[in-house]
Amino acid sequence: MAAASDLSGLGPKADRAFGLKLVAPAMILLIALLAVPTVLTVVYSLHDVPANGASFGPFVGIENYTIIFASPVFWRSAQVTATFAIGFVVLSTVIGLAMALLLNQRFIGRGLARALLIIPWATPWLVIGILWKWFADGSVGGLNAVLMMLGLISDYQPFLSDPNTALPITVLAAVWRQASFAGILLLAGLQTLPEELHEAAGLDGANVWQRFTNITLPWLKPVLITVTVFNVIYAFLQFDVVFAMTQGGPGDTTQVLSVLIYRQLFVNTNIGLGSALAVILGVVALVGGLAIVRLFYRREVQ
Amino acid sequence: MASSTIDRGRRRRPAATIAIYAGVLAFAIWILLPVWYLVVSSLITPTQLGIKPFPLVPSSITLDNYASVLFGNTGGRGIGSTDMGARLVPAIGQSLFVSGCLVVLNLLIAGAAAYGLSRYPFRGARVFELSVIATRIVPAIAIIGPFFVAFRVMGVLNTPWALVISYNVFTLPLAIMILKNYFDQLPREIEEAAKIDGATRLQTLWIIIVPIAKPGLVAAGVLIFLEAWSEFFYALVLTNQLTVPPLLAGFQSVQQFNWNALAAATVMSMLPPTVLVLIFQRHVVGALTAGVGK
């Protein structure tokens, strides 16, 4: 093989064949593990699949979808997902940007602070859920302790069993991790910003806010877009934090779509309905996906 | 980087300095308070845990919780199968095994693919690369159904292989993206020199590229490990608490539950990824941002 490729080694055709050979194992794996299950999920969603999943069961067309779109449980879950996503994306991006701006300043202990920024990002999502569930707990939680010591509350509050606070607390927990991820990327973007730009603007009499909006923000724009798109994707993917903290409760106040899919597939063992829900979530995420691919593509063309 | 370390001797106004240090304090509290709460919880007794307000600075500490989750009994005596003390160490072993397998397999498969895409583009390579990026967006949760059904038929449910196979769904595209970016940045001159010297393409890849690509391979390896170690949903559905995350989640719903013990187990589950990332901080952050800042 080596000899053969040597003989025609300079020809681009042999190069292309070699490239294809190198990519083939990954391509085959991704087709088998991604394309096939995706197609199967769509097929399941059009059938009334028996609970054991041994066969497709009778074909029912779009009945699963009509059931879902007529169900108040779905619309309630879609609303929870949208609320979660908006809070998650806005807070993660804003807090991440604030942390990046801060850690780009000169101060004593900056190296240590930058290492701290990495900790939430390196922590598994599930562990973040567990950690925040107990941190916000109504009887042994640290959040209650701090609020009480500050005199903001007179007694411990059951944040996660209160329908009004459960969703905001799960958002906060997820933001704790994602803001660090955003901060890491944005800080790297800031570090490439030439300091001369700021100095020149400072000489021209621009104040801090003007320099931020006229220099820093435009410089960060590409990174900010990418970070925001990542945050949108993670908002729709989110399962672990909600599952660990509330399992969708109290009631259905934190039941995001991913938790609803899990319940349909593995608690109610309704594979057809669960798959239809999965397809809907997949399509919603894919719309964002096409946006990100186009984004990558456009920047490369420039 | 360099410009930020050079002190230009520009004096900051005192008000700005105060604002910065106030911000640093708020930042430290935001990151450290939940972590501190977890660590303290893992070092105190259930009696101390019951004190209101929670003792952020405990009067005494103990390592009993760690001993109990590692060797002993966590109080779930009557329900042996849910006793963390007997199951955490095997779960850590399984997590390490699954993550290790994926790191090795993915570096080989994704490394080859990324190098091929970078140096020997073929018809359709660009489409393949864009599809790989797109797969990162499709929620893995959405395609769990077929895996569950197929693995039940194959009889691999509740084995580490179920996870070694299915985790490729998210680790492989990630590894390909990072390594493709990395190879794109490596200079081609050395390879061209090797070619003139008569080295075959495969020899060039093994003898020349792999050694100089080590930083990229390390970064990709750490990120694959992180994803595999952290993964919860597939492990929950495809196994019976085989790895650490579903074990921790399951422990939360045990009757005779003990947050102190869970806290100790949680701290231990955070250690491998955190230590790994801090050690390879520069590589990993570089790899993450290279794909983004382009």
Side-chain angles (χ1 to χ4, degrees), chain A residues 94-152:
Chain A
V94 170
I95 295 176
L97 180 61
M99 293 196 297
L101 289 169
L102 179 71
L103 297 188
N104 198 42
Q105 305 297 320
R106 277 186 289 268
F107 59 86
I108 301 159
R110 184 170 73 171
L112 186 67
R114 286 181 178 175
L116 279 186
L117 182 66
I118 292 187
I119 292 177
W121 172 71
T123 305
W125 281 109
L126 176 86
V127 167
I128 284 168
I130 292 176
L131 166 50
W132 275 80
K133 178 193 164 96
W134 296 97
F135 184 58
D137 187 70
S139 55
V140 298
L143 184 59
N144 270 307
V146 171
L147 293 176
M148 205 160 135
M149 282 188 266
L150 292 174
L152 294 171

Side-chain angles (χ1 to χ4, degrees), chain A residues 73-110:
Chain A
V73 176
F74 168 74
W75 289 109
R76 176 84 188 111
S77 176
Q79 196 191 330
V80 171
T81 309
T83 312
F84 181 95
I86 292 169
F88 177 80
V89 172
V90 171
L91 287 177
S92 298
T93 312
V94 170
I95 295 176
L97 180 61
M99 293 196 297
L101 289 169
L102 179 71
L103 297 188
N104 198 42
Q105 305 297 320
R106 277 186 289 268
F107 59 86
I108 301 159
R110 184 170 73 171

Side-chain angles (χ1 to χ4, degrees), chain A residues 15 52 106 108 134 176, chain B residues 12 21 30 152 201 252:
Chain A
D15 275 355
N52 64 11
R106 277 186 289 268
I108 301 159
W134 296 97
W176 188 69
Chain B
R12 258 196 314 247
Y21 280 96
W30 163 252
R152 189 158 56 184
R201 297 186 192 85
Q252 282 205 119

Side-chain angles (χ1 to χ4, degrees), chain B residues 98 102 162-172 228 231 234-235 243:
Chain B
V98 170
L102 279 155
L163 305 182
V164 171
I165 296 169
S166 60
Y167 283 5
N168 280 292
V169 166
F170 29 87
T171 57
L172 200 54
E231 206 287 330
Y234 275 45
T243 54

Side-chain angles (χ1 to χ4, degrees), chain B residues 219-239:
Chain B
V222 171
L223 287 168
I224 296 164
F225 182 91
L226 224 62
E227 293 240 334
W229 180 271
S230 307
E231 206 287 330
F232 169 58
F233 185 72
Y234 275 45
L236 171 75
V237 168
L238 301 177
T239 73

Side-chain angles (χ1 to χ4, degrees), chain B residues 23-174:
Chain B
V24 172
L25 184 67
F27 166 79
I29 291 173
W30 163 252
I31 303 270
L32 283 179
L33 188 60
V35 177
W36 180 253
Y37 168 75
L38 173 71
V39 173
V40 170
S41 296
S42 75
L43 292 172
I44 60 177
T45 63
T47 320
Q48 285 171 290
L49 187 64
I51 300 169
K52 281 186 187 183
F54 177 85
L56 283 172
V57 183
S59 51
S60 65
I61 57 169
T62 168
L63 287 174
D64 284 359
N65 300 310
Y66 287 90
S68 74
V69 292
L70 280 176
F71 323 107
N73 199 301
T74 51
R77 242 173 285 261
I79 29 175
S81 69
T82 47
D83 184 33
M84 182 83 93
R87 300 189 59 192
L88 183 65
V89 174
I92 289 176
Q94 296 282 10
S95 276
L96 284 175
F97 175 75
V98 170
S99 311
C101 281
L102 279 155
V103 169
V104 173
L105 280 174
N106 278 315
L107 285 185
L108 282 172
I109 297 170
Y115 183 69
L117 289 173
S118 173
R119 294 298 196 268
Y120 300 104
F122 49 92
R123 199 184 296 273
R126 184 74 194 144
V127 175
F128 177 73
E129 201 192 326
L130 290 177
S131 331
V132 166
I133 296 172
T135 61
R136 288 290 296 172
I137 294 129
V138 177
I141 291 169
I143 58 169
I144 185 81
F147 280 109
F148 183 75
V149 172
F151 287 160
R152 189 158 56 184
V153 173
M154 291 158 61
V156 290
L157 279 185
N158 201 28
T159 68
W161 306 114
L163 305 182
V164 171
I165 296 169
S166 60
Y167 283 5
N168 280 292
V169 166
F170 29 87
T171 57
L172 200 54
L174 175 76

